[in-house]
Amino acid sequence: MKTKHLILAGLVVLSQILQSCLKGEDVYKEKEPTYTELDLNIGGECSLTEKPMSRADASKEIFGINVAMLIQSPNGSVTQKPYAYGIFDNIKAGNLKLNVLDGYQYRISCTMIKEGKDSLLTKDGTLYPLTLSKGNDPKLGTITNKFITAERPDGTQEYLFDLENSKIGTKGQSNYTRPFIQRYHGIIDKLTVAPDQTNTLEVYRRYFGVQFKQNGLQADCKLEIQIDGAPTVWLTPDKKESPELMVSMRTLTTLVETGKILTDNARVKVTVHRTRKEAEDILNYNISFKRNYMHTIVISDIDHFGTGSNVSIHVEETELENSAQEDLPWQGGN
């Protein structure tokens, strides 16, 4: 009798399931994913609400943004899955919006290149800033002023590959880890997006200034000056000083703390070239460069080199001022 009752109860449950199916209901249906709108604001040292440093032509600035989903594995480790990316030359309030999947945290990274339209790579005469792939001939992204889903139809993923690399695709400087550009960078490490939430991405300068000067260089000499990872600078008897160079830092992702100066250590090597003589290194000196400071490096006593007198180097530091933007020297004045 008990078995009969169990069979009848099972038939009732089965009947209910069949009725649900006949009504178009899926009793095993998973919960539909939901999304929340992420609305970003850019803050820090390139805030839209403050007068930016040397912003002569804001339309030339290029912003690259990566959005990654943080995935936690059963063992507790967290990996990043590319979710979306965007390249912008217009970041007016309200146009940095993206629907993100609920239930996850997100990592957001941003690089801004000042005068980026003059500095970043072009292809076939068109600006295609920031790379989407590795290699000698990388795939380049385009300015869309909107976010693009990282997941491609063929199952691959795209993101701005060099957004956090110090080596970035610049005109004539792609092989340098400290190119002559004015670069800003910022990160939100872990963001849980909520409706009507203010999400400010603090972006800060990631470059230092340097100018080289020489005293006493003889007529048959020229100086080759190298900052580790940056293009070479030359001084001659007629060229006593270099332009003021803005050098991109390698320390892109380190936090910028209020009241603390971020530094970037780089070795400065100076080689003297004399007519019909073998080139000789006269300085090989490690310098701690300060973010947002101009460093004037004066090389003296070169005329006595080789006579027992020491070549001297003097470094002066001054905080960068809000001055008019000058052409970068490697751009040829364009």
Side-chain angles (χ1 to χ4, degrees):
M1 190 70 179
K2 187 175 181 180
T3 303
K4 182 178 179 180
H5 287 162
L6 289 173
I7 294 172
L8 288 174
L11 290 174
V12 170
V13 173
L14 180 60
S15 175
Q16 290 174 342
I17 293 174
L18 291 173
Q19 288 296 321
S20 296
C21 293
L22 289 173
K23 292 178 182 178
E25 299 175 4
D26 184 358
V27 294
Y28 300 108
K29 182 179 180 181
E30 293 184 2
K31 185 178 180 180
E32 290 286 346
T34 59
Y35 296 83
T36 299
E37 184 180 73
L38 165 65
D39 191 357
L40 274 177
N41 294 314
I42 302 296
E45 290 174 332
C46 60
S47 171
L48 296 179
T49 60
E50 299 177 4
K51 185 178 179 181
M53 188 180 82
S54 311
R55 183 174 288 183
D57 186 356
S59 65
K60 289 186 177 182
E61 296 173 355
I62 301 295
F63 291 79
I65 303 176
N66 274 336
V67 180
M69 178 187 292
L70 301 181
I71 309 294
Q72 187 167 4
S73 66
N75 64 7
S77 62
V78 177
T79 58
Q80 297 180 38
K81 179 182 179 182
Y83 187 83
Y85 69 91
I87 303 174
F88 303 80
D89 64 359
N90 184 353
I91 56 164
K92 63 182 180 182
N95 77 336
L96 297 180
K97 293 184 177 182
L98 171 69
N99 286 330
V100 296
L101 186 62
D102 291 334
Y104 294 91
Q105 287 186 316
Y106 292 85
R107 184 181 190 274
I108 304 172
S109 176
C110 174
T111 270
M112 186 271 272
I113 305 295
K114 197 163 184 184
E115 302 292 316
K117 289 187 177 179
D118 293 334
S119 307
L120 293 174
L121 285 176
T122 60
K123 188 175 183 180
D124 301 326
T126 305
L127 182 69
Y128 289 83
L130 303 171
T131 60
L132 296 173
S133 61
K134 299 181 183 180
N136 295 327
D137 187 22
K139 182 178 179 180
L140 303 179
T142 57
I143 299 171
T144 60
N145 283 313
K146 64 180 181 181
F147 285 107
I148 298 173
T149 303
E151 196 80 30
R152 308 283 17 124
D154 61 1
T156 60
Q157 294 175 334
E158 287 184 349
Y159 67 106
L160 300 178
F161 177 76
D162 54 4
L163 197 70
E164 296 186 41
N165 293 338
S166 55
K167 185 183 291 186
I168 197 169
T170 52
K171 295 177 182 176
Q173 301 186 97
S174 293
N175 294 324
Y176 295 98
T177 53
R178 288 191 179 96
F180 296 149
I181 57 173
Q182 298 184 48
R183 185 173 184 174
Y184 294 62
H185 193 80
I187 292 175
I188 301 178
D189 267 326
K190 295 179 180 179
L191 176 64
T192 301
V193 182
D196 303 319
Q197 174 178 282
T198 300
N199 306 289
T200 300
L201 181 56
E202 304 287 344
V203 178
Y204 294 96
R205 298 182 190 110
R206 302 289 180 159
Y207 61 89
F208 57 85
V210 64
Q211 183 181 34
F212 293 99
K213 297 181 179 182
Q214 60 87 4
N215 289 322
L217 187 60
Q218 297 179 4
D220 63 340
C221 299
K222 59 182 179 179
L223 291 183
E224 178 186 6
I225 306 171
Q226 295 176 303
I227 300 176
D228 180 30
T232 299
V233 177
W234 292 88
L235 294 180
T236 65
D238 295 329
K239 185 179 180 181
K240 294 187 178 296
E241 61 184 49
S242 71
E244 294 184 346
L245 305 169
M246 303 303 167
V247 185
S248 179
M249 301 181 74
R250 284 184 177 175
T251 52
L252 292 177
T253 58
T254 304
L255 291 177
V256 175
E257 298 182 44
T258 303
K260 293 186 178 180
I261 297 176
L262 185 64
T263 60
D264 195 22
N265 293 321
R267 184 161 291 277
V268 176
K269 180 181 176 183
V270 181
T271 304
V272 63
H273 296 261
R274 295 180 181 273
T275 304
R276 293 183 296 276
K277 289 186 179 180
E278 186 177 347
E280 296 181 77
D281 295 339
I282 59 174
L283 281 175
N284 201 342
Y285 192 78
N286 193 61
I287 297 178
S288 179
F289 291 98
K290 295 179 180 179
R291 183 192 78 94
N292 200 33
Y293 274 72
M294 175 61 66
H295 304 75
T296 302
I297 300 177
V298 183
I299 305 166
S300 302
D301 298 327
I302 304 167
D303 53 339
H304 299 301
F305 176 71
T307 65
S309 178
N310 292 325
V311 175
S312 64
I313 181 171
H314 178 66
V315 183
E316 297 178 353
E317 300 171 352
T318 54
E319 192 167 4
L320 289 171
E321 300 291 338
N322 292 347
S323 59
Q325 174 65 38
E326 297 179 358
D327 285 329
L328 297 177
W330 51 271
Q331 292 175 2
N334 295 323

